[in-house]
Amino acid sequence: MRVLHAGQICSAVAVLNEIRAGVPSHVSTDLNVHPRLSVEELRERMSGNICRCGAYSNIVDAIVEVAGGQA
C-alpha cells in the first residue's frame, strides 16, 4: 500500500482533475491534444508540492494506482 500525506492527496486530486479536463502543462508537447496520464505529466504537475517525508519515489506510483491506469 502506498501512502500519501494530506497535501500530496489534495495536489494529486487536482492533478488528475486537470488531466481529465484537458489542461496542458509545461511538458505538454501539443496544446491541441488532450494530455495523457504519464510520468512526465505527473512529475511536472506535482513538482510544486514539496514533501519532507522522503516518499517522492512512491508518489507517482500512488497517483497512477488511484487513477486506475498506467503512466
Side-chain angles (χ1 to χ4, degrees), residues 49-65:
N49 193 317
I50 298 172
C51 178
R52 290 177 269 156
C53 70
Y56 285 114
S57 61
N58 295 321
I59 290 171
V60 170
D61 292 339
I63 295 170
V64 171
E65 184 177 314

Side-chain angles (χ1 to χ4, degrees), residues 19-59:
I19 292 172
R20 285 187 195 115
V23 177
S25 76
H26 291 288
V27 298
S28 298
T29 56
D30 186 344
L31 299 180
N32 296 311
V33 175
H34 196 91
R36 63 180 198 85
L37 185 68
S38 69
V39 171
E40 293 79 20
E41 284 288 347
L42 294 174
R43 287 179 190 260
E44 168 60 28
R45 293 170 190 263
M46 291 294 290
S47 66
N49 193 317
I50 298 172
C51 178
R52 290 177 269 156
C53 70
Y56 285 114
S57 61
N58 295 321
I59 290 171

